[in-house]
Amino acid sequence: MRRLGTVAAALVLAGAGVAGTATAASAATGPADKAPAACSTAWGSGNKSAATADTKPLTDVKTSHTACYDRMVFDIGGANGKFGYHVGYVDAFHQDGSGERIPVKGGAILQIFVSAPSHDPVTGKQTYAGTAGKSLPGVNITGYKTFTDTKFGASFEGQTQVGLGLRAKLPFRVVQSGHELIVDVAHKW
């Protein structure tokens, strides 16, 4: 009888574990637009930068969005260590090198410099197909809460410049993860 009770208790616990796992799994795969209990906005809106340590070419720019922020990711293929960047708000977006003004739609403009040219410095072959004054190739921000526009500025003196139009001046963070530079902009303060 004691053995039967132990088996029954084990089955009940196992069932609770499966039910708990199913609940956690459904929460993780639930609707992307369902807001979490609280979104952090402690990032601030001041300039953020890091010195260059490793310079490799930019290969891609991608975007995504969550319930709390919109994200832009710069893929710097082959980068092993830290690489430089400077991200900050500007009143107008001017092409690096020429100074020509490039219109960017939105209530605020985040200017992003990444220490990665859009071409291979050795061969001169283009590694990212950005064109000055044009939207970023392959980037679709339709339906985003914060991002309103993207513009390629220039690839000049070993760095690439991008203008990111935003709904308003909002908190942002910059994180390096492996060979990617990630810029997250919160949906609200």
Side-chain angles (χ1 to χ4, degrees):
M1 188 69 154
R2 183 172 173 194
R3 178 176 268 179
L4 185 58
T6 303
V7 170
L11 287 173
V12 168
L13 289 174
V18 169
T21 302
T23 301
S26 68
T29 59
D33 59 350
K34 185 175 181 183
C39 294
S40 174
T41 58
W43 306 331
S45 60
N47 292 344
K48 295 165 180 61
S49 59
T52 301
D54 188 13
T55 303
K56 298 289 182 188
L58 176 69
T59 57
D60 199 10
V61 178
K62 303 170 279 211
T63 60
S64 63
H65 54 99
T66 71
C68 295
Y69 54 82
D70 290 352
R71 170 172 282 182
M72 180 170 277
V73 178
F74 295 84
D75 189 344
I76 302 162
N80 299 344
K82 299 288 183 188
F83 39 86
Y85 60 86
H86 181 79
V87 183
Y89 283 101
V90 294
D91 293 329
F93 186 58
H94 295 274
Q95 183 182 28
D96 193 25
S98 75
E100 184 176 329
R101 187 173 185 278
I102 298 173
V104 181
K105 297 176 199 158
I109 303 168
L110 196 59
Q111 179 170 249
I112 303 165
F113 284 101
V114 181
S115 296
S118 64
H119 61 276
D120 185 315
V122 175
T123 66
K125 182 181 176 190
Q126 189 174 30
T127 58
Y128 179 71
T131 302
K134 303 290 183 189
S135 296
L136 299 180
V139 172
N140 182 356
I141 55 172
T142 303
Y144 282 47
K145 290 183 181 176
T146 298
F147 293 175
T148 58
D149 196 9
T150 65
K151 288 294 193 294
F152 188 83
S155 184
F156 183 69
E157 294 185 348
Q159 63 183 4
T160 297
Q161 174 196 32
V162 169
L164 181 57
L166 307 174
R167 179 176 45 81
K169 187 174 182 178
L170 294 160
F172 69 94
R173 68 179 172 184
V174 181
V175 179
Q176 182 180 342
S177 178
H179 58 88
E180 295 179 332
L181 183 73
I182 302 164
V183 179
D184 293 331
V185 183
H187 293 308
K188 60 183 181 176
W189 280 96

